[in-house]
Amino acid sequence: MHLEPGVGLGHRRLSIIDLSTGQQPLYNEDGSVVVVFNGEIYNFQDLVPELQALGHTFRTRSDTEVIVHGWEAWGEDCVQRFRGMFCVRALGP
């Protein structure tokens, strides 16, 4: 679970990819971006080297981690780079 004023995120995981370190919520390096995700990013292995070249550090082998680093690198347009099964819903005013 992740709780902060105005938002709470919870996740119960079906472990398929990265059984040992893919727990969620999943955070970026400094904890400023957090995600819970139910879906699959099929091309995550192709995106990891590109994001690492931009300076991002990966702590898992989970497809979910490309979401937080992709958000940092490409903003909202990150979803245009992802191939998989997911739905986009941004929270905010």
Side-chain angles (χ1 to χ4, degrees):
M1 293 186 70
H2 172 84
L3 300 171
E4 63 181 72
V7 69
L9 301 174
H11 191 269
R12 184 77 169 160
R13 184 167 184 245
L14 171 61
S15 302
I16 296 173
I17 297 174
D18 192 11
L19 304 179
S20 61
T21 64
Q23 294 81 8
Q24 296 183 36
L26 200 142
Y27 299 85
N28 66 337
E29 297 93 336
D30 67 5
S32 63
V33 178
V34 59
V35 67
V36 293
F37 175 69
N38 182 22
E40 190 171 351
I41 306 296
Y42 301 138
N43 64 328
F44 79 99
Q45 292 174 324
D46 297 329
L47 297 173
V48 169
E50 185 176 351
L51 290 162
Q52 287 173 324
L54 294 172
H56 295 277
T57 302
F58 284 76
R59 295 184 306 267
T60 75
R61 292 183 311 263
S62 171
D63 59 337
T64 303
E65 193 168 4
V66 300
I67 298 171
V68 294
H69 299 303
W71 178 266
E72 291 178 296
W74 307 307
E76 290 180 16
D77 290 337
C78 67
V79 297
Q80 302 300 319
R81 310 283 307 265
F82 303 150
R83 301 294 171 255
M85 296 186 308
F86 58 91
C87 178
V88 178
R89 171 73 169 102
L91 298 177

